[in-house]
Amino acid sequence: PARGVGQCVALCNANGAGYHSESKAKEYKHVCKRACQRAVDQLKAGALAVEAVAAALVELEDSPFTNAGMGSNLNLSGEIECDASIMDGKSLHFGAVGAISGIKNPVLVANRLLSEAQKGKLSAGRIPPCFLVGRGAHDWAVSHGIPPCPSEKMATKFSLSAYKRNKRKMELAEKMDTGQNQTKKRRQSSENENGSGCLDTVGAVVVDLEGNVAAAVSSGGLAMKHPGRVGQAAHYGCGCWAENACNMNPYSTAVSTSGSPFLTSEDRVLGGVIVLRCCRCVEAQPSQNIQGILVEFLWSHTTESMCVGYMSAQDSKAKTHISRLPPGTVPGQSLAIEGGVCRLMGVVE
């Protein structure tokens, strides 16, 4: 292994892909910065990528400005149900929860499911769960030491006001005739609401000191969704993915997404993605071998904007950025893509 720090990078997206007003840009950047810093602090302390990415997500879920954990969208019944998933690129183990209520940090449950699965089979040869939903997920979390949090305490003034506003719109719509024009108006109304932040998720991707990658994603889901609905943030191979390099593939890759390929039938496909790809190389020096990791990272979105942050252990602070579509372009019909490259070095013992 390489000695010292340097070979670790965290890339986070706070309040994911959606719309980020100029008035709240500072808050979005701050939460992204804190998430990156928390992940890198974990990496500097020797934590593996999967633990660092979970730490970043906890910071994002705790922010009242994101649609994940605290401040999530309310469903039709006025309750908060969250989805989250996490994947370890080293073991390829995956953990997820769907439509879980009463847990402040759903990603901690997903991560605990992952770590418990890595311990092997249960008594009598039973296979441990990797994906739990609803009440079963909540009870499993509590039985494994994750404290419950009343759903009403997870709501914020913003999420409650959005729920009341959306409920009034639905009640008015139901009083009107349900012709083709009205159906179109409802769809447009839903799109406008989603454009104000209802589609957003949060996510992070990380590479650690040993070159392991991990990814995680968390979401409060769509506003006014039907109780029990599980979104793409919890689905295997859809919300996030992480896979270390192997003999046939020299690249390690971690991905976290917002939006879904199942939206292709819609007029406007709204979504975003953050990607980290890295490969290892060793350069011989006169007195020592220098081991390096070449890291490429990018973010892309079809929504109006996307807030991202990124940081390596060599950085004094995280860099943050709100990426926006070019002026005059149409969200859902246009694409923005940005990114960067860095080379991280360490001494091989």
Side-chain angles (χ1 to χ4, degrees):
R3 185 169 68 246
V5 299
Q7 296 187 7
C8 46
V9 169
L11 173 64
C12 305
N13 68 307
N15 221 30
Y19 171 72
H20 306 87
S21 65
E22 293 290 351
S23 62
K24 293 184 179 179
K26 189 175 181 179
E27 285 83 357
Y28 291 131
K29 288 182 178 180
H30 276 323
V31 68
C32 244
K33 193 172 292 185
R34 291 195 303 269
C36 289
Q37 185 67 61
R38 188 158 178 184
V40 169
D41 287 346
Q42 291 277 320
L43 294 168
K44 285 182 176 181
L48 295 178
V50 70
E51 296 302 327
V53 83
L57 263 289
V58 167
E59 194 70 39
L60 296 170
E61 288 176 337
D62 284 349
S63 170
F65 296 102
T66 65
N67 178 27
M70 187 70 65
S72 289
N73 286 325
L74 276 63
N75 64 17
L76 275 173
S77 300
E79 298 175 346
I80 288 177
E81 293 182 328
C82 298
D83 305 323
S85 63
I86 187 169
M87 187 167 180
D88 176 18
K90 182 178 181 180
S91 66
L92 298 183
H93 277 99
F94 172 83
V97 290
I100 188 171
S101 294
I103 297 293
K104 183 182 177 185
N105 295 113
V107 72
L108 291 182
V109 189
N111 191 40
R112 186 63 183 269
L113 282 164
L114 185 154
S115 63
E116 289 295 315
Q118 289 177 330
K119 295 177 181 178
K121 293 183 179 180
L122 303 174
S123 60
R126 292 176 298 135
I127 302 298
C130 69
F131 187 2
L132 292 174
V133 299
R135 186 69 192 181
H138 175 275
D139 292 348
W140 187 94
V142 173
S143 70
H144 285 77
I146 297 174
C149 177
S151 183
E152 57 269 21
K153 289 189 177 181
M154 294 176 63
T156 62
K157 289 182 179 179
F158 178 81
S159 62
L160 286 170
S161 63
Y163 171 74
K164 293 175 181 177
R165 184 171 63 250
N166 287 330
K167 192 170 185 179
R168 285 196 300 269
K169 286 184 177 181
M170 288 183 61
E171 290 171 350
L172 287 172
E174 288 170 359
K175 291 179 180 179
M176 301 174 69
D177 294 333
T178 57
Q180 183 177 359
N181 291 337
Q182 181 59 29
T183 300
K184 183 177 180 180
K185 288 179 182 178
R186 288 184 188 180
R187 183 180 301 165
Q188 289 174 344
S189 174
S190 174
E191 289 173 350
N192 290 335
E193 284 299 316
N194 289 334
S196 64
C198 297
L199 281 174
D200 298 338
T201 65
V202 298
V205 289
V206 167
V207 55
D208 67 21
L209 294 167
E210 298 178 4
N212 302 309
V213 293
V217 61
S218 182
S219 176
L222 295 170
M224 309 305 286
K225 65 184 179 181
H226 193 283
R229 179 188 187 273
V230 177
Q232 77 279 359
H235 292 162
Y236 178 75
C238 187
C240 68
W241 184 263
E243 185 173 3
N244 278 13
C246 61
N247 293 333
M248 300 298 293
N249 179 15
Y251 293 101
S252 296
T253 306
V255 182
S256 181
T257 71
S258 172
S260 170
F262 305 114
L263 297 175
T264 53
S265 60
E266 297 295 323
D267 294 334
R268 299 196 303 161
V269 181
L270 299 169
V273 62
I274 54 175
V275 182
L276 183 151
R277 187 177 80 157
C278 58
C279 63
R280 191 186 299 274
C281 56
V282 176
E283 299 177 0
Q285 299 293 326
S287 59
Q288 58 189 5
N289 286 336
I290 303 296
Q291 179 173 270
I293 293 183
L294 181 65
V295 181
E296 302 171 273
F297 54 94
L298 66 81
W299 54 88
S300 180
H301 58 96
T302 60
T303 52
E304 185 168 331
S305 60
M306 183 176 186
C307 185
V308 297
Y310 51 96
M311 182 180 184
S312 79
Q314 296 171 339
D315 296 328
S316 59
K317 61 180 180 179
K319 297 179 177 65
T320 58
H321 173 61
I322 293 185
S323 174
R324 299 188 184 276
L325 290 178
T329 56
V330 179
Q333 299 177 5
S334 305
L335 176 73
I337 181 167
E338 301 176 77
V341 179
C342 64
R343 192 179 185 88
L344 304 170
M345 309 303 293
V347 179
V348 179
E349 294 182 337

